[in-house]
Amino acid sequence: MSSPPPRSTQPPEPPGPVAPGDGRGSYRDQIVGVRVQPHDATPMTKADAGEVTRKMRRQNLSQRTRVEIPTLRVVAGRDMLSYIALHNAEEIVIGRDDNADLILTDVLVSRRHARVIVGDDMSITVHDLGSTNGTSVNGQAVERSLLRPGEHLEIGGVSLRLEMLSLEEIEHLSNVVMRLKQQNRDPLTGLLTRSWLEEELPLLMDRSQRTRSSVSCIFFDIDHFKQVNDRFGHHVGDEVLVGVARLLLYGVRDNDPVVRYGGEELVMFLDHADEAHAKEVAERIRRDVQGHDWSRTAAGLKVTISAGVAQWGVACGGDGRVAVLDRESARDWLGRADACLFDAKHAGRNRVVAATLTAR
C-alpha cells in the first residue's frame, strides 16, 4: 500500500482529459476515480472439491486495494468543499486565523477554534480550544471527543464531515477548490461569469467543429428559489446558491466550464459529450442536489433543481426527427437548452429535459 502524500496545497499531477464513452469507465468514474474494493478468491464449486489448488480471480494489483485517507470536508455554507486530509501522528488547528491548518471564514468560528489530533493508530480526536461558540460532534457539544468516519463535526456555525477519500477524490477536490480561487469568478458562487460566454465559448465551439467532436450544454435552475429567500432569508438563499454551485463543480471533470448565467440560473458545458451523456450528467447532479443534507444550512430546508440539455448543432425537426444544424449560433444553441429548462419547470420541476431525447 502506498504511503499517503504529504499535506500540501499542490495537488498531484492531474491525468489528461478523458472523454465520456471512450471505454475507460463511466463518466462518474472519470471524475472521482473508481472505488475498488478488495476481492476474495472465487467460491469453490463442487467440481473444484477434488482439486488441491484453489482457482483465483486474476486482477491487476491496482484493482485489489483502495487507498483511503481520512479527510475533513466542509459540507455546508460559504466554505463548502474546503477540506484537509489527515495523516497519522499529526495535529491540525481549525479556525479563522490565517495560520490555521484549515481556515474557515464564518464569523461564528473562533480564530483558533479546535484542534484535531491523529494518533499513531489513526484514531482521530477533536479538542475544543475554548472557542466562543463551541464544538459539537453529531449535534452534541463536546470539549474532547473521538471522531469516526461518517460523523459530523460542527465548528461554530460550520458543518464538516469526516470522510474516507481516495487519492483520486482528494485530487479532484483540490482541483475544484483551486478553480473557485481563480480570478474573473463570480464573487458569490466562485463560478465563471457571463463574460466567459463571449470570450471563451466561441473558442470551444470552433475547437469542437475542427475536431468534429460533440459538445453539450446544460442549463440548471434552482426550483422555488424565491420561496427559499422568503421563508429562510436572503442569507440562506445565498448559501443555497453557493452550495448548488459547488455540487455542480464537484460533479463534473476539472476542465468543464460552469457559468453563473444570472440569478439562480447556472449553465455548464461538456466537451466531448453528446446529448445522451450530458443528460446522464444532469440527472446525476439533480439527484446529488436533491439528496444533499440541506438541513445543515437551515432546519427544514429542501432544495431541488431543474435542467435543460442541448447538444450543439443537433435538434429535433418539425417532424420529430433529429436534424443536424449547420453553423448554429451560440445564442440559438443556448436558447434551445433554456427552452428545455422551461419545459422541465412547467412539467413539475426537479427533472431534466433534453432537446432530442425527451418528447416535448
Side-chain angles (χ1 to χ4, degrees):
M1 182 179 291
S2 301
S3 59
R7 187 158 46 82
S8 168
T9 58
Q10 298 298 323
E13 186 69 18
V18 181
D22 65 355
R24 292 168 60 182
S26 69
Y27 195 97
R28 179 63 176 171
D29 292 341
Q30 296 164 16
I31 294 169
V32 296
V34 182
R35 291 180 177 268
V36 180
Q37 302 295 340
H39 287 277
D40 296 326
T42 55
M44 185 178 294
T45 65
K46 290 182 179 179
D48 298 323
E51 296 185 6
V52 176
T53 304
R54 194 178 187 188
K55 294 180 180 179
M56 303 292 292
R57 184 181 304 169
R58 292 182 176 273
Q59 290 186 313
N60 287 330
L61 181 62
S62 61
Q63 291 182 315
R64 295 178 187 170
T65 58
R66 164 186 160 91
V67 177
E68 291 186 323
I69 298 174
T71 305
L72 275 174
R73 180 168 68 90
V74 180
V75 296
R78 299 294 181 92
D79 294 311
M80 183 174 168
L81 295 190
S82 294
Y83 75 98
I84 189 165
L86 305 176
H87 304 129
N88 64 312
E90 77 168 353
E91 298 183 9
I92 63 117
V93 172
I94 303 174
R96 284 192 298 117
D97 192 277
D98 290 340
N99 294 319
D101 299 289
L102 178 58
I103 301 173
L104 303 177
T105 61
D106 193 286
V107 294
L108 298 180
V109 175
S110 297
R111 293 191 177 278
R112 291 175 56 85
H113 195 108
R115 176 179 287 112
V116 176
I117 300 176
V118 185
D120 291 330
D121 59 353
M122 291 306 294
S123 62
I124 299 171
T125 310
V126 60
H127 300 253
D128 185 79
L129 296 178
S131 64
T132 301
N133 293 300
T135 299
S136 300
V137 174
N138 296 329
Q140 298 296 318
V142 299
E143 293 185 1
R144 177 182 181 277
S145 175
L146 282 173
L147 192 63
R148 300 173 180 85
E151 292 188 329
H152 283 87
L153 171 66
E154 288 82 30
I155 300 292
V158 178
S159 182
L160 304 93
R161 185 168 59 235
L162 180 62
E163 302 174 326
M164 301 301 293
L165 300 183
S166 69
L167 296 177
E168 292 86 356
E169 289 170 319
I170 292 175
E171 176 190 346
H172 178 63
L173 189 56
S174 173
N175 291 337
V176 171
V177 172
M178 286 195 300
R179 289 176 72 180
L180 291 168
K181 294 178 179 180
Q182 291 174 352
Q183 295 181 346
N184 301 321
R185 295 270 168 171
D186 174 66
L188 175 63
T189 63
L191 301 181
L192 296 166
T193 64
R194 287 189 64 162
S195 63
W196 185 92
L197 300 176
E198 300 176 1
E199 299 168 2
E200 300 296 332
L201 180 56
L203 302 179
L204 174 63
M205 296 168 67
D206 180 65
R207 183 170 66 250
S208 174
Q209 188 173 40
R210 284 188 289 103
T211 59
R212 297 183 180 180
S213 59
S214 303
V215 59
S216 298
C217 73
I218 309 173
F219 261 100
F220 292 96
D221 190 83
I222 301 174
D223 298 330
H224 302 297
F225 187 66
K226 183 178 183 302
Q227 294 180 19
V228 172
N229 282 325
D230 291 345
R231 178 181 174 186
F232 297 97
H234 287 273
H235 66 290
V236 171
D238 285 349
E239 291 198 7
V240 168
L241 266 172
V242 170
V244 170
R246 279 155 173 69
L247 289 172
L248 263 62
L249 283 177
Y250 191 63
V252 295
R253 298 165 297 185
D254 296 333
N255 59 339
D256 291 327
V258 185
V259 178
R260 186 180 182 187
Y261 192 75
E264 69 274 19
E265 201 168 42
L266 315 172
V267 59
M268 70 167 53
F269 296 88
L270 305 179
D271 198 8
H272 293 90
D274 60 18
E275 191 171 289
H277 280 112
K279 187 173 187 289
E280 290 177 6
V281 173
E283 283 284 5
R284 175 172 45 73
I285 291 175
R286 181 195 64 77
R287 293 192 299 268
D288 288 347
V289 171
Q290 183 180 16
H292 183 70
D293 186 4
W294 293 102
S295 65
R296 299 280 168 181
T297 300
L301 175 64
K302 296 181 179 180
V303 178
T304 61
I305 58 174
S306 299
V309 182
Q311 179 180 338
W312 180 43
V314 179
C316 271
D319 57 359
R321 297 182 179 180
V322 175
V324 177
L325 306 177
D326 291 330
R327 300 184 181 279
E328 183 181 28
S329 68
R331 180 176 180 177
D332 290 344
W333 175 29
L334 298 183
R336 287 193 299 112
D338 199 27
C340 290
L341 172 61
F342 180 86
D343 289 349
K345 297 187 79 69
H346 280 261
R349 296 181 170 84
N350 191 25
R351 64 193 64 213
V352 176
V353 172
T356 66
L357 300 174
T358 308
R360 300 180 54 222

